[in-house]
Amino acid sequence: MTVRLDDGLVRLEGSCTVEEAEALLETILANPELPVDWSRCTSLHTAVLQVLMATRPVLQGLPEDPFLRRWVEPVLTDGREA
């Protein structure tokens, strides 16, 4: 599973597929205070991106994928420091 709770963080790892979107939403809603570490994320389905855009968790780290770092991270953080 690419979405998991670990040591006070919600972690996104590897290729986060459409099947992970519901699990991510449920995890964030159950733990809204926890940051999301996506530093090991290599790809992100748009459904997972929509969950992140709707819930706006604090993100930690930068994803491995250059596209996500360049184009998605600025949209999700709106200049907020992680």
Side-chain angles (χ1 to χ4, degrees):
M1 178 171 245
T2 62
V3 176
R4 63 186 176 91
L5 278 175
D6 180 42
D7 198 27
L9 294 170
V10 177
R11 294 195 189 270
L12 299 180
E13 297 178 338
S15 178
C16 298
T17 64
V18 65
E19 292 82 14
E20 305 297 333
E22 185 175 357
L24 177 61
L25 179 61
E26 289 174 359
T27 303
I28 290 174
L29 291 178
N31 304 279
E33 73 287 354
L34 296 183
V36 174
D37 179 354
W38 66 334
S39 60
R40 294 183 182 169
C41 181
T42 57
S43 66
L44 199 64
H45 189 277
T46 54
V48 176
L49 175 59
Q50 288 173 340
V51 169
L52 293 173
M53 291 178 76
T55 59
R56 296 300 222 186
V58 172
L59 296 173
Q60 284 192 343
L62 292 172
E64 289 184 17
D65 181 67
F67 178 85
L68 294 175
R69 278 195 312 269
R70 171 73 171 102
W71 298 105
V72 177
E73 189 272 340
V75 171
L76 290 176
T77 60
D78 281 338
R80 291 181 281 157
E81 293 292 322

